[in-house]
């Protein structure tokens, strides 16, 4: 164990705060189990008498269900039940039917008489085997009367557009709120029903005057495709119901087990004393793993009174889970020849699909908050269509707006002949600057982050890189900057001192990014013991203290604080017992090498093991040592990122080859640099896919044509360059040790960096994302139409 | 439809299986043999999460009918470590931070094993080519390539793998 | 998967018998990488799959004394791509086999499956066409052979009669001065399907003049198609940049692509032009050795 004089003192050479356990590169606690195949994911759960569920999906984007005849399916060998929306009232304890007239996706388990997107689950077939259920699903006779489908988000906003679905009320913003905390509430549609589910706007200064002052005004619109989070584990749930005791147990893949519990309680009116949600090891979520399989599987188990396994096929996951919205962003912005931005007019439109839930508020807030616009007007819209309803992704909505804003910044800087990095630095927001909403930014490191990227060789050597261009291979370098506010949610944690002097921590937060390892580091730090002597367990909803959804880059900064509080609580309890035993003052105690010692008299010490035995033994006068930590979080810890892409474009094939990549990101303080880099690299990888190859491709009738991983093209290792991570550390106000959330910013800037590099290489803008070979060749005018 | 009996050899152990022939090797190994380390990410051979070694060659076991594996040596992630001794790639994946959600990892490690069998001193480019059939969404592949490369280097430096 | 019956015969005769016995719903199973996906997605509902894995007559890549290449129908993409003779003398075929899917796919997928799946985007099909492959087919009435392109009647459809099995592809020995090449366009570098695939084969005389040329295009028509006018445009002249460019333009005019999820018709036509130009130049380079 490294000992340091004073925890938190600056290292004389690096200037970085030094601690014993936090700040070290710590391999994951559960890493071994994941490399040997021992970790248990939801689909690995197998119960006696378990039924298999297969979904029947609507083939139409908008249709009335006229016939739903299950007789042939039910007659098939091995088919046990067919469940439709009509049956759901029997699943709820009070007979209410959650799907009837549901406004929200979580409630609309199955299409209730009307299907509102192609891929919406219409029925579930339960079979004794997977194949029996599958064959039963083939035999289900569903007939539809097709209704006009609303497929274009801009056309859907017109007053005379047909409605994508019945008017909505009670919009559920859980997913957006899980990711970001903003003091902005969007107006929900009033009066005559339209497809605009919500509208939010921001205004500052005098727009006309601002454009008047500009030496250059750039006006462009940008499009982003609907994309999937791309977790490799499809949605999966095993739900069990014991009719005798009333116990309901749900093993599921989710980012928020308490969210699942609360939703199941609400939908089926189950008492939470009878409901146990076990969040299994999660095979990737990225904002997309909330609840989709748990509601359906639980309804099936309640109705069949047997355990039910529902695992989405990849096709179903692409068609019927909650991908993240496509968008149209229209920008008009002005800049002076000195490089000062003068005015921004922005319209941000997200295609929410068939249920509300698109991040219009945060998207329109952040598109106008990262630079010091003296004059601005931003309008954000969330529009309902008959596409699949959307959910969150890492920093939901932000890769869309960054792709627009950062191309706009690039074009403005080039237009007035200035260095794009310099223009960003000149206009970047600083701590205390107002967001578009007027609320001031807490401590932020946008400037430091841009500086780190601008000093990197990829940026410094961009002129030399371009000289490698040939007649058909053009080299370019692009920079883009973005950030994410992050969410806030209360958190709680418990620590127990074990009889061998080790410590067990129990949390309820799902470990989606290695947070449990960081938690162990925090506990080890505060108790001055090696990380190996701390275990962290994710309990279930009956055994763990409450935790929010692991989303919004907030798990480390909120739960980490709760654990730190719990460790401090445990320390105080140990000091108090030791003081009594050692006949000293509790204030004079210190921790070292797994012992409580009297400061200055190391021979007067009590090992943790001894403390455990005297606080748990028969007739002990002391209470067992149990540390508790519970916090509420008030100040966000926004994280900024600046990314550099160096690439080659083959001007004949349109193919892009990424050559080098660097990502600078403000982590506040990297509690575990190994996992911080992992988050930066992983977000970069997603950004690369979104920037170059991933998109939902619909035909004219609104049917998804690439519902598989061959044609929904996520980058392979061969498409991905080496990624260099530059960790910037500008401490946050509230995160433990100054840490910031790091999960989300990394996805935001990559697609824009690619688009700017393509411009650098070719001199043409690809304003529609992803920048596929065909779009690049069209921008070059190579394809005649 | 009639079940069939076939003998499977998985990780050196023989199993007599009686099941419908229309099931995949992945499904039977997971559900009947209860070796759930191999994962199903797509069911169509496009993600590599179900990768197994059959007679030493990587296959996507979601597209192998289980009776096809009779008479062949099947190796899954569970057969890689010898007792408490992890395979060098397993150790390297943990140490390099190559493991995040872990869902792709069993298949990824087996693809790494096959890559290093083919090219023991594989370059980063050869490693990227060797694992291109295995999608990972968490890591951007950076630390996965680092981990495999570290084992390739160890072997080229004459160290025991 | 939905139920079907399964058998794994040990000889060609047994395989033929197994197919005959189970009637029209039975299909031969190669590597399964296409067929099982179609079964899972409900596009094909076979009553039985007859595995060809143990049929010895279908195995291997063999070259005979005359230089003719016989590729067994169950030779895998990896076997073919790794085969030294294929790489040196039937380069287009090795090119095509080497780009299919991933290592996993190539270890499983067979050439018989790739061809008989009859996808217009199949990566070994254009190479087989330009290399003049004959498909050997075994059926209840004995064996027959036919030019490989006569196997296809439409996307996913073959001219095979029920009970017939392709046993091998026989590629004549290329004369001295011959070279071939296959390339495809995909958005991802690996793990993808051809948006367009182009195979070309040229024979040059000592002076570099084209004696014969064959060009086959994948994914631009319901089946793999030749581009006869483009081939004609090359014959009798040196294979210069200009000649290649002309062949590309002509081939683009001959292609009849559709717009789909992988690319628009005009994009595909553009690719046919640029890729044909590049491919014939590469084939000529190989012909010169």
């Amino acid at each position: 164990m490294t000992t340091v004089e004073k925890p938190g003192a600056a290292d004389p050479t690096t200037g970085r705060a030094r601690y014993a356990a936090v700040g070290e590169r710590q391999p994951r606690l559960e890493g071994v189990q994941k490399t040997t195949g021992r970790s248990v994911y939801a689909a690995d759960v197998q119960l006696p008498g378990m039924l298999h569920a297969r979904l029947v999906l609507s083939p139409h984007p908008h249709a009335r269900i006229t016939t739903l005849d299950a007789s042939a399916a039910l007659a098939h060998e091995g088919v046990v039940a067919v469940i439709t929306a009509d049956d759901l009232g029997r699943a709820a304890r009070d007979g209410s039917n959650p799907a009837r007239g549901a406004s929200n996706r979580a409630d609309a388990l199955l299409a209730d008489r009307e299907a509102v997107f192609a891929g919406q689950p219409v029925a579930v077939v339960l079979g004794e085997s997977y194949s029996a259920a599958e064959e039963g699903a083939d035999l289900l006779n569903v007939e539809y009367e097709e209704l006009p489908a609303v497929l274009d988000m801009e056309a859907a906003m017109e007053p005379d557009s047909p409605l994508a679905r019945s008017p909505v009320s009670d919009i559920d913003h859980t997913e957006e709120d899980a990711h970001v905390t903003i003091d902005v509430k969007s107006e929900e549609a009033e009066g005559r029903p339209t497809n605009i589910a919500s509208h939010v706007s921001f205004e500052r200064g005098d727009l006309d005057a601002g454009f008047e002052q500009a030496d250059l005004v750039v006006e462009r619109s940008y499009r982003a495709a609907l994309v999937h989070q791309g977790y490799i584990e499809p949605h999966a749930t095993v739900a069990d119901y014991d009719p005798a005791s009333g116990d309901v147990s749900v093993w599921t893949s989710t980012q928020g087990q308490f969210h699942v519990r609360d939703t199941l309680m609400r939908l089926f009116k189950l008492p939470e004393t009878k409901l146990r949600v076990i969040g299994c090891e999660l095979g990737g979520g990225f904002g997309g793993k909330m609840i989709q399989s748990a509601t359906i599987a639980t309804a099936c188990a309640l109705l069949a009174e047997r355990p039910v396994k529902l695992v989405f096929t990849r096709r179903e996951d692409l068609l019927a889970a909650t991908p993240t919205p496509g968008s149209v962003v229209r920008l008009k912005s002005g800049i002076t020849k000195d490089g000062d931005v003068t005015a921004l007019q922005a319209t941000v439109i997200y295609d929410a699909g068939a249920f509300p839930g698109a991040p219009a508020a945060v998207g329109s807030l952040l598109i106008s908050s990262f630079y010091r616009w003296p004059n601005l007007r931003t309008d954000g819209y969330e529009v309902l269509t008959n596409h699949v309803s959307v959910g969150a992704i890492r920093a939901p909505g932000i890769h869309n707006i960054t792709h627009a804003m950062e191309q706009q910044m690039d074009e403005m800087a080039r237009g007035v002949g200035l260095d794009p990095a310099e223009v960003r630095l000149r206009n970047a927001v600083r701590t205390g600057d107002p967001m578009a909403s007027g609320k001031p930014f807490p401590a932020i490191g946008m400037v430091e982050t841009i500086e780190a990227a601008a000093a990197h060789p990829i940026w410094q050597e961009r002129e030399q890189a371009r000289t490698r261009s040939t007649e058909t291979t053009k080299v370019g370098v692009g920079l883009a900057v973005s950030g994410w506010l992050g969410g806030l949610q209360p958190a709680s944690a418990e620590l127990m001192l074990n009889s061998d002097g080790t410590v067990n921590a129990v949390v309820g937060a799902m470990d989606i990014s290695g947070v449990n390892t960081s938690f162990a580091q925090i506990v080890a730090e505060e108790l001055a013991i090696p990380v190996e002597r701390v275990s962290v367990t994710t309990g279930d909803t009956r055994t763990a203290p409450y935790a929010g959804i692991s989303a919004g880059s907030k798990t480390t900064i909120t739960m980490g604080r709760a654990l730190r509080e719990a460790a401090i609580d445990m320390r105080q309890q140990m000091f108090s017992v030791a003081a009594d035993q050692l006949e000293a003052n509790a204030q004079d105690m210190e921790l070292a090498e797994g012992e409580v010692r009297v400061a200055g008299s190391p021979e007067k010490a009590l090992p943790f093991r001894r403390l455990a035995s005297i606080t748990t033994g028969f007739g002990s006068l002391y209470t067992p040592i149990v540390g508790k930590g519970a916090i509420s979080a008030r100040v966000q810890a926004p994280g900024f990122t600046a990314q550099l892409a160096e690439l080659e474009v083959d001007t004949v094939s349109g193919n892009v080859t990424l050559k080098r990549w660097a990502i600078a990101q403000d982590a506040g303080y990297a509690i575990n640099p190994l996992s911080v880099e992992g988050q930066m690299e992983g977000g970069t990888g997603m950004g690369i896919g979104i920037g170059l190859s991933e998109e939902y491709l619909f035909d004219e009738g609104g049917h998804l044509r690439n519902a598989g991983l061959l044609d929904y093209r996520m980058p392979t290792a061969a498409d991905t360059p080496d990624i260099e991570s530059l960790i910037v550390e500008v401490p946050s106000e509230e995160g433990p040790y100054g840490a910031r959330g790091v999960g989300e910013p990394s996805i935001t800037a990559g697609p824009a960096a690619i688009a700017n590099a393509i411009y650098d290489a070719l001199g043409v803008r690809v304003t529609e994302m992803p920048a596929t070979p065909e779009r690049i060749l069209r921008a070059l005018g190579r394809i005649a139409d | 439809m009639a079940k069939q009996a076939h003998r499977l050899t998985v990780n050196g152990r023989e199993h007599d299986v009686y099941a419908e022939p229309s099931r995949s090797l992945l499904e039977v190994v997971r559900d009947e043999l209860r070796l759930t380390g191999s994962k199903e990410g797509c069911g169509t051979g496009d993600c590599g999460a179900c990768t197994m070694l059959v007679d030493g060659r990587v296959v996507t076991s979601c597209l192998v009918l289980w009776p096809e594996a009779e008479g062949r040596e099947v190796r899954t992630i569970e057969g890689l470590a010898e007792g408490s001794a992890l395979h060098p790639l397993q150790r390297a994946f943990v140490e390099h931070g190559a493991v995040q959600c872990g869902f792709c990892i069993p298949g990824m490690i087996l693809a790494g094993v096959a890559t290093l069998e083919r090219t023991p001193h594989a370059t980063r480019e050869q490693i990227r080519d060797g694992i291109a059939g295995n999608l990972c969404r968490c890591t951007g592949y950076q630390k996965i390539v680092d981990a495999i490369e570290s084992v390739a280097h160890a072997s080229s430096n004459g160290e025991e793998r | 998967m939905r139920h079907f019956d399964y058998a794994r015969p040990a000889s060609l005769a047994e395989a033929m018998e197994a197919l005959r016995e189970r009637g029209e719903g039975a299909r031969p199973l190669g590597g399964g990488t296409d067929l099982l996906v179609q079964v899972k997605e409900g596009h094909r509902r076979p009553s039985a799959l007859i595995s060809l894995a143990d049929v010895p007559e279908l195995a291997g890549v063999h070259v005979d004394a005359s230089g003719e290449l016989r590729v067994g129908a169950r030779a895998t993409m990896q076997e073919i791509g790794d085969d030294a003779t294929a790489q040196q003398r039937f380069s287009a075929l090795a090119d095509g086999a080497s780009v299919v899917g991933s290592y996993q796919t190539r270890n499983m997928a067979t050439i018989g499956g790739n061809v008989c799946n009859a996808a217009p985007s199949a990566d070994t099909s254009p190479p087989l066409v330009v290399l003049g492959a004959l498909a050997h087919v075994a059926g209840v009435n004995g064996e027959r052979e036919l030019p490989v392109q006569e196997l296809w009647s439409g996307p996913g459809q073959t001219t095979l009669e029920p009970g017939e099995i392709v046993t091998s592809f026989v590629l004549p020995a290329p004369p001295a001065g011959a070279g071939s090449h296959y390339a495809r366009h995909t958005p991802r570098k690996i793990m993808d399907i051809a948006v367009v695939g182009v195979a070309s084969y040229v024979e040059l005389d000592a002076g570099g003049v084209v004696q014969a040329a064959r060009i086959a295009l994948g994914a631009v028509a319901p089946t793999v198609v030749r581009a006869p006018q483009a081939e004609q445009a090359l014959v009798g002249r040196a294979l210069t940049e200009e000649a290649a460019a002309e062949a590309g333009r002509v081939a683009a005019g001959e292609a009849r692509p559709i717009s789909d999820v992988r690319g628009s018709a005009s994009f595909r036509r553009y690719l046919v032009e640029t890729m044909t130009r590049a491919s014939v130049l590469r084939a000529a380079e190989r012909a010169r050795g």
Side-chain angles (χ1 to χ4, degrees), chain C:
Chain C
M1 265 176 279
R2 296 160 184 89
H3 286 113
F4 50 78
D5 196 7
Y6 167 86
R8 189 165 145 189
S11 70
L12 183 59
E14 279 184 38
M16 307 292 302
E17 179 55 21
L19 280 173
R20 194 195 57 76
E21 224 173 55
R22 288 171 174 81
E24 279 203 26
R27 288 186 69 89
L29 172 68
T33 54
D34 282 321
L35 180 56
L36 293 183
V37 174
Q38 292 158 4
V39 171
K40 285 183 178 201
E41 293 183 346
H43 302 314
R44 287 194 199 271
R45 305 282 174 91
S47 60
L49 294 183
I50 308 304
S51 168
L52 303 180
D54 286 349
V55 177
E57 292 91 333
L58 273 52
V61 181
H62 316 274
V63 59
D64 76 4
S66 70
E68 183 178 273
L69 192 75
R70 184 182 161 278
V71 186
R74 74 173 171 92
T76 64
M77 296 296 153
Q78 195 65 37
E79 267 179 275
I80 298 166
D82 285 348
D83 186 89
T85 308
Q87 287 172 3
Q88 286 153 22
R89 312 212 52 214
F90 303 88
S91 322
L93 182 63
D95 292 343
S98 304
V99 298
V100 172
S102 59
Y103 278 100
Q104 285 92 326
T105 323
R106 294 192 294 277
N107 283 334
M108 301 162 71
T110 65
I111 191 166
N114 196 231
V115 169
C116 294
N117 184 49
S121 56
D123 291 308
T124 57
S125 292
L128 287 172
V129 169
V130 298
L131 293 169
L134 286 179
H136 286 238
V137 177
V140 275
N141 304 319
E143 290 223 3
R144 64 183 177 116
E145 49 183 74
L146 70 164
V148 66
Q149 58 268 39
E150 292 177 17
L151 275 175
W152 306 304
S153 54
Q157 292 170 340
T158 68
T159 57
L160 292 171
E161 298 293 328
E164 281 192 323
I165 296 176
V166 174
T167 56
S168 64
F169 300 94
V170 176
L171 286 63
S180 67
H181 173 258
Y182 171 78
R184 62 180 194 171
H185 176 90
T186 57
R188 283 192 295 195
K189 305 225 178 315
I190 300 180
M191 276 313 285
D192 220 322
I193 290 276
V195 178
V196 166
V198 177
S200 55
Y201 166 91
V202 295
E203 285 172 31
L204 306 181
D205 69 11
V209 173
V210 177
Q211 301 298 300
R214 291 195 285 273
I215 296 168
L217 309 175
V220 295
T223 64
V224 168
V225 290
R226 292 269 293 267
Q229 293 167 37
E231 293 169 358
Q232 220 37 59
L234 290 173
V235 175
R237 60 196 283 201
L239 220 169
T240 57
E241 290 273 352
E242 294 72 41
E246 191 191 332
R249 279 193 299 276
V250 174
E254 291 181 88
R256 291 287 171 269
I258 56 160
S259 293
D260 69 9
V261 70
R262 293 179 182 132
S264 70
S266 48
F267 178 41
R268 284 198 159 104
R269 203 177 295 278
Y270 165 86
L271 288 173
V272 169
E273 177 173 347
T274 55
M275 291 170 63
T276 301
R277 184 175 66 203
S279 183
V280 297
L281 286 170
R282 194 79 186 86
E285 227 172 83
R286 285 171 169 174
R288 292 184 203 107

Side-chain angles (χ1 to χ4, degrees), chain A residues 430-454:
Chain A
R430 274 83 170 160
T431 302
D433 278 349
M435 302 182 202
S437 58
K439 182 183 175 180
F441 272 104
I444 52 171
M446 182 175 183
V447 167
E448 292 82 350
T449 305
I450 300 172
E451 284 170 347

Side-chain angles (χ1 to χ4, degrees), chain A residues 345-674:
Chain A
Q345 186 171 15
T347 304
V348 181
I349 306 163
Y350 290 104
D351 179 351
F355 293 87
V362 68
S364 46
L365 173 68
L366 294 191
I367 200 168
S368 40
S369 290
F370 291 161
Y371 297 104
R372 293 166 148 176
W373 304 101
N375 308 289
L376 66 86
R377 165 82 202 196
T378 307
D379 288 280
Y381 299 93
E382 174 186 14
V383 180
L384 297 176
T385 66
N386 294 110
H387 286 144
V388 57
S389 74
V390 298
I393 194 170
R394 280 182 142 145
I398 306 309
H399 69 258
N400 315 53
I401 57 126
T402 303
H403 172 256
M405 177 51 79
E406 288 298 296
Q407 289 205 68
Q408 194 85 359
M409 289 302 287
D410 196 62
E411 186 165 355
M412 288 197 298
R414 288 167 178 276
V416 294
L418 297 173
D419 177 338
E422 287 303 320
V423 168
R424 287 183 175 86
L425 278 170
R426 189 182 180 97
N427 295 287
V429 286
R430 274 83 170 160
T431 302
D433 278 349
M435 302 182 202
S437 58
K439 182 183 175 180
F441 272 104
I444 52 171
M446 182 175 183
V447 167
E448 292 82 350
T449 305
I450 300 172
E451 284 170 347
H456 189 273
I458 295 178
W459 188 248
Q460 292 294 320
E461 296 160 9
R462 62 193 191 279
E463 292 300 333
Q464 295 97 296
R466 274 196 291 269
T467 62
R468 292 203 316 272
S469 292
T470 66
E471 199 190 334
T472 56
T473 303
K474 302 294 181 193
V475 179
V477 171
L479 164 70
V481 182
S482 190
W484 180 242
L485 296 178
L488 292 173
Q489 199 164 10
S492 51
E494 286 172 3
L495 295 176
M496 281 160 288
L497 183 63
N498 300 324
S499 60
D500 63 353
T502 60
V503 175
N504 284 350
V506 179
V507 295
M510 304 313 303
D511 183 359
I512 65 167
S513 55
V515 288
N516 282 1
T517 306
S518 302
F519 296 161
Q521 290 177 274
I522 291 171
V523 172
E525 179 69 39
E526 297 303 326
L527 297 177
I529 53 175
V531 173
E532 299 72 49
R533 295 176 69 175
V534 180
S535 81
V536 180
T537 301
T538 305
D540 62 46
T541 59
R542 283 225 198 137
T543 58
Y546 182 83
I549 299 174
S550 292
S553 300
K554 68 180 180 311
T555 312
T556 300
I557 62 167
T558 58
M559 190 59 80
R561 265 187 60 214
L563 276 150
R564 195 179 190 186
E565 297 291 323
I568 291 168
D569 181 30
M570 174 173 262
R571 193 164 68 196
Q572 293 311 320
Q573 293 175 37
M574 291 197 289
F575 283 176
S576 151
V577 174
D580 192 45
Q581 288 276 309
L582 300 171
E583 299 178 341
N585 284 326
Q587 304 90 279
D588 297 336
M589 296 290 158
E590 64 178 19
L591 294 176
E593 292 165 7
E595 295 182 339
V596 182
R597 294 173 179 168
V598 178
S601 317
E603 73 289 351
K604 293 183 80 176
L606 210 55
F608 283 16
R609 181 191 310 200
R610 176 85 187 118
L611 269 169
S613 71
I614 62 175
T615 54
T616 55
F618 292 113
S620 173
L621 300 175
Y622 303 111
T623 56
I625 293 173
V626 179
K628 287 187 187 152
I631 60 109
S632 69
R634 295 194 172 81
V635 185
Q636 283 162 302
F640 283 85
T641 182
Q643 301 190 28
L644 294 167
E646 181 182 313
L647 52 74
E648 288 176 4
V649 188
D650 180 327
T651 58
V652 179
S653 69
N655 283 116
V656 170
T657 303
L658 298 172
K659 304 302 284 187
R660 293 207 283 174
W661 196 285
I663 166 172
Q665 188 175 317
D666 181 11
Y669 179 80
I671 291 171
N672 182 358
L674 194 63

Side-chain angles (χ1 to χ4, degrees), chain B residues 21 33 42 47 66 79 84 89 92 95 97-98 100 107 117 122 131 140 142 156 158:
Chain B
L33 307 187
C42 71
C47 79
W66 73 272
S84 65
L89 273 176
E95 285 167 4
Q100 290 197 33
E117 297 255 318
I131 61 169
Q142 183 69 22
S156 54

Side-chain angles (χ1 to χ4, degrees), chain B residues 128-146:
Chain B
R128 288 184 183 281
D129 175 67
I131 61 169
N134 296 72
L135 293 175
C136 169
R137 194 60 157 176
C138 294
T139 64
Y141 305 101
Q142 183 69 22
K143 297 198 188 304
I144 289 173
V145 177
D146 290 348

